[in-house]
Structure formats: structure tokens, C-alpha cells
Amino acid sequence: MSYDSDIFVPTREVVETEEILRLKSFFVDEFRREPKFYVRVPGRVNIIGEHIDYCGYPVLPMAIQKNIILAVTPTDDGILQLKNFQDSYKPFKCPIDSFKIEQPEGRGPEWHNYFLCGVRGAVDEMASNGVGQTKGLMVAVSGNIPPASGLSSSSALVSAACLATMYANGQPLQKQLLATISATSERYIGTQGGGMDQAIAFLARQGCAQYIEWSPLRATSVSLPSQALFLIANSLTEANKAATSSFNQRVVECRLGCRLLAKMTGRTDWRDIQQFAHLQELLNYTLDEMETLTADCLSKELYTREDLFAEFQVDSEEFEEYLLTPNTRKSQIFKLRQRALHVVREANRVVKFREAAQNGDMDKLGELMRASHESLRHLYECSHSNLNDLVDLVARPGASARLTGAGWGGCIVALCNSIDQCDNAMHELRKYFAQRPDSEGRNFDDLVFITDPQGGSEILLNTT
């Protein structure tokens, strides 16, 4: 089954769970009134297809049980007021249609800047549709997605902000549009992501992973083998992709590699070709042919700035202005071959994973996940020693695992083929975390949990 923009975000009456009641009480204490509605946006785990969405290739994520939840009341004063249930996050207040999204260097943005990205995207969309005054919002934020864990806490917050702003102002709630606005607006924070996190937030369906394609954005449900269990384990190494240039460096290396291949294959429009999937389409190549092209043409292990000046026939100023991003303009070395080989091989793994899932071939699924991690570790160089340790640990009882999310920390996702195998992997992880000083005082169930595919974002009405 596939579906796209003709499906709207559902609206239903809220069930006052313990989590909702806590957030409601917090909202009332802070704002002296009840929330009008709630927004729930799930986190996600990417089963396979890492660092290829921004290269134009399909990915295969699923939504998980952990969520970001907002309690919201619209106002007529044009002011955005944010309060976070976690007191370590400072409150924030500003005019809803006039604010600055900060991009501090050397550290991650303040939490409210992610919310502002979603608001900015919604406000800009409404302005383009001729909407005048934007309603203010009183918002209380809660959630149980671990921050900087690779489970899309930041993108869930961006998406929740966009959805809340659009709904409060009576705008159409098309899932495809919301996902596109949220993905585009998150780039205000400086991260050149591809849109997977926002797409699964809105297009997820209960019980299925989603094969997500781009241009146009669409999702096709993929049923996983009935015996498949997915175990998530947190490395306790925070991975904030907006805090450093590492993520954008990989994006730039992919764009440069793509453009160089386009130029080397005689494309005069090489400057306009930034995604490997686009180039593949223009060349009418298979993924195997793209891999051969990459291996043959991107021959250097390291490309210097001077190498690329010569290859592209540009000077330093043009190179920095048009081919790099603001936080990569000082980069001196570029690994085009390694990044490109990962991308085209990973895209091939996604295709094969989907086929294996449909055939119920658990051995093939595990093989593909292991190969994905090795590629991310050695070719994309975005793993971390703690992630590698977790992957090795769960392999002892036979589970197959890979890092999930951007990398450099965060979580692994492990595929288990039985409850016994999952229990044995949990046992290995429990012993491991018992020896980690930084896990002291942490609830093991927050560090390691089993998940299955969940539904997408919701608006829940407070009718009391």
C-alpha cells in the first residue's frame, strides 16, 4: 500500500493517560488555563538506509513508541510562550512571527530553536497562502525520546511545532505538505538533512515500516517478518548533528562527489546535480553501474581543496561560496570516494532489504544490517567506539545490529529472530551497562527497549 498527500492528519479526543495528565497539570500550573489540544509526534528508528535520504535515495524507517508531546492553547496576542516539562530546559517567549533562530558554533542550539524552526516553516507557508495575523501559542512540551540519541528527538520537536502552528491557525493538514515544510524548516538550524525523520513522523503506519521515496514524497508500507523483533540500545554518547560540522561535511562530500561524477561523465549542467539519485536517473544507470562508475572515476582516497579547484575549474572564493556550506568552508580534505561508495551500496542494501522482508528471509536481513554498520564505520566514518561495542555485544547471541541515525553516538538498532535471542541480547547489554560508570542511576529500560512499528503524528482534542 502506498499513500501520499491526500491523507490528512487525524484528529480525535484525547485519552487522559498518566503522561497526558502530568503534562496537563504542568500546563495548568504554568498558564492558569487548560490546553485546547495536544500534539503527539513519534520518534523513529531507521532500520536501514543511513545517510542516503539527502542523496535522493529511498530509506526504510519506522516510528517508535517514544514521543514528543505538546499541550497547546492558541491566543490572540501573537506571542509564542514555551515551557518544558523538564526543568533543565529554560522557558522561552517571543513574538510568533518575529524571531531569530540561533546557530551557535561549537555546541548544540538551545532546545527552543528547534521549536522555532517548525514555527517559522508554518508561518512562512501561511504567509505564502495569504494568511494574515498568526495566532500566538501557549505550549508545554514533554516527551520521552532521549535527546541526541539518534531517535529523532529534534526533528520530532520541529515537526510537532509545525503541526501545532498550522492546526491552531486552521490550515489544511496534508501529511506530505507537513513533512516537506518540517524538513525544509529544520535547515534553519544549520543541518543539511534529507527529510527522512519528518517523513516518517507524518507518514508512519501502525504495524509496518515505511519505504520512503522522494520527488514526489511517498511512502509504501513494508510488512516485516512476524518473528522479527527490534531492540534499541543507547550508547550513552550524545550525537547532536547541529553542534559540529561532521554531518554537514558528509553532505558536502556527497554533493562534491556527485558533481564531480556528473562533470566527468560529460554533463555540462554538473553544478545543478547534487544528488546521486538524480545523476543515476540522468545517466539511466543501475545501482551496480553507479558503484562501478564511482570506483573507477573517484580514484583518490583523499581530495585536497587544490585537487577540487582543478577538477571543477573554480577558484577558492567560488568553491567556498557555491560548493560548501557555512560551517564547512574551512575544510581542507574531502573523502569523496568513500562517501559515494557508501551511498550507492547502502541504497542497494535498502532495495535488497525490502525484498528480503517480503520473502521473510531473516538471514538476509541480518546480513544487510551488519554490512550497513561496517560501511558506516569504515567508509562513512560516523560510528563511535561505544556504538561498535554495542553492535559486537548483541552479536554474541546472534542478533544483527547497526547504528541508527546520524551516528557519532546515539543508538543502535538490533534485529532479533526470536524472543529468546532478544532476551539473551538484553542480558549481555545489562551486564555491559552495569560496568559503565556513566549509566549509574539510569533506568535500564530507558537505555534498552524493544519496539515495533507505530503510527504517525496525531492531534488530540481536549474536550473537557
Side-chain angles (χ1 to χ4, degrees):
M1 176 186 297
S2 65
Y3 52 94
D4 45 39
S5 61
D6 60 338
I7 304 297
F8 291 79
V9 175
T11 302
R12 63 180 176 85
E13 185 175 343
V14 68
V15 176
E16 291 193 330
T17 62
E18 182 179 343
E19 184 178 32
I20 289 290
L21 286 172
R22 282 198 305 267
L23 182 58
K24 180 179 180 179
S25 176
F26 175 72
F27 186 97
V28 171
D29 287 344
E30 294 293 327
F31 296 115
R32 302 304 177 190
R33 66 184 73 185
E34 288 202 358
K36 294 293 186 183
F37 63 92
Y38 300 85
V39 169
R40 184 195 67 82
V41 176
R44 66 96 188 95
V45 61
N46 189 22
I47 301 173
I48 198 163
E50 217 66 74
H51 287 285
I52 64 172
D53 56 341
Y54 52 78
C55 295
Y57 286 117
V59 291
L60 209 150
M62 67 182 184
I64 61 176
Q65 289 98 330
K66 295 185 180 295
N67 309 287
I68 291 292
I69 301 180
L70 311 180
V72 186
T73 288
T75 66
D76 293 325
D77 60 5
I79 301 298
L80 172 65
Q81 299 182 64
L82 299 178
K83 307 276 187 174
N84 199 302
F85 188 80
Q86 299 293 328
D87 56 14
S88 58
Y89 296 110
K90 296 178 182 179
F92 182 79
K93 182 177 180 180
C94 70
I96 198 164
D97 55 3
S98 176
F99 52 78
K100 180 180 180 181
I101 299 173
E102 297 178 354
Q103 299 180 25
E105 293 187 10
R107 60 183 176 86
E110 296 289 340
W111 74 277
H112 64 263
N113 282 290
Y114 290 100
F115 197 97
L116 293 180
C117 285
V119 173
R120 172 67 57 76
V123 170
D124 288 350
E125 173 67 19
M126 290 188 292
S128 69
N129 293 331
V131 176
Q133 180 67 36
T134 306
K135 285 187 175 294
L137 298 174
M138 293 178 173
V139 184
V141 181
S142 183
N144 56 5
I145 308 173
S149 63
L151 300 179
S152 192
S153 59
S154 57
S155 294
L157 184 57
V158 174
S159 299
C162 178
L163 178 55
T165 307
M166 294 285 279
Y167 180 73
N169 286 275
Q171 297 302 294
L173 301 177
Q174 296 175 313
K175 287 187 175 183
Q176 184 192 48
L177 176 63
L178 289 164
T180 300
I181 295 171
S182 299
T184 301
S185 63
E186 188 165 341
R187 294 170 191 157
Y188 289 123
I189 213 76
T191 303
Q192 301 293 312
M196 172 183 63
D197 298 350
Q198 300 82 5
I200 193 64
F202 290 107
L203 302 177
R205 287 203 170 181
Q206 187 83 27
C208 299
Q210 298 298 326
Y211 179 77
I212 296 178
E213 301 170 88
W214 319 101
S215 302
L217 172 61
R218 58 188 179 272
T220 304
S221 296
V222 176
S223 296
L224 301 164
S226 58
Q227 70 269 41
L229 296 169
F230 290 94
L231 182 69
I232 311 300
N234 193 331
S235 70
L236 289 178
T237 304
E238 290 198 350
N240 190 321
K241 60 189 179 186
T244 71
S245 63
S246 297
F247 182 90
N248 281 359
Q249 177 74 17
R250 301 305 187 276
V251 176
V252 162
E253 287 170 328
C254 287
R255 290 176 181 173
L256 290 172
C258 179
R259 283 166 161 159
L260 185 50
L261 286 177
K263 193 171 188 297
M264 295 175 80
T265 53
R267 302 290 310 189
T268 58
D269 56 349
W270 62 267
R271 292 173 184 271
D272 301 322
I273 305 172
Q274 298 190 52
Q275 295 184 321
F276 288 108
H278 183 202
L279 177 60
Q280 180 186 345
E281 182 181 9
L282 292 172
L283 296 174
N284 195 27
Y285 276 13
T286 65
L287 282 167
D288 289 338
E289 288 171 331
M290 284 295 291
E291 181 178 345
T292 300
L293 176 69
T294 298
D296 290 346
C297 293
L298 300 182
S299 56
K300 293 188 176 184
E301 294 294 312
L302 297 174
Y303 285 83
T304 66
R305 290 169 69 98
E306 289 70 23
D307 290 333
L308 295 176
F309 295 165
E311 293 283 3
F312 291 119
Q313 297 177 313
V314 296
D315 59 22
S316 177
E317 182 179 354
E318 187 177 4
F319 182 72
E320 292 184 7
E321 182 67 24
Y322 295 105
L323 300 181
L324 302 183
T325 61
N327 66 345
T328 61
R329 285 177 181 162
K330 302 302 179 185
S331 298
Q332 300 296 317
I333 298 294
F334 303 87
K335 298 185 178 182
L336 309 189
R337 176 185 174 86
Q338 298 90 320
R339 311 315 185 214
L341 284 174
H342 165 77
V343 168
V344 294
R345 289 172 181 171
E346 184 79 350
N348 224 339
R349 282 188 284 268
V350 172
V351 173
K352 293 175 181 177
F353 192 98
R354 184 184 180 190
E355 293 172 352
Q358 292 169 339
N359 296 330
D361 189 343
M362 290 290 293
D363 290 340
K364 185 63 174 179
L365 296 180
E367 174 192 322
L368 291 166
M369 289 185 70
R370 291 190 298 272
S372 175
H373 183 77
E374 288 304 299
S375 182
L376 290 162
R377 181 178 180 178
H378 297 294
L379 290 178
Y380 226 72
E381 297 178 287
C382 63
S383 191
H384 185 279
S385 58
N386 289 340
L387 289 169
N388 299 332
D389 288 345
L390 293 178
V391 168
D392 292 342
L393 275 173
V394 299
R396 292 176 185 174
S400 302
R402 57 182 291 279
L403 72 85
T404 186
W408 297 284
C411 290
I412 66 161
V413 54
L415 172 65
C416 303
N417 61 23
S418 67
I419 293 176
D420 286 344
Q421 188 178 82
C422 199
D423 287 343
N424 291 335
M426 295 274 275
H427 179 69
E428 293 289 343
L429 291 167
R430 193 177 293 276
K431 290 191 299 182
Y432 169 78
F433 282 113
Q435 299 172 358
R436 287 272 302 266
D438 51 356
S439 70
E440 187 174 348
R442 303 285 294 267
N443 187 335
F444 179 76
D445 292 337
D446 291 334
L447 300 178
V448 180
F449 60 93
I450 299 170
T451 190
D452 56 4
Q454 300 295 301
S457 305
E458 294 181 299
I459 295 172
L460 310 170
L461 300 181
N462 183 12
T463 60
T464 58

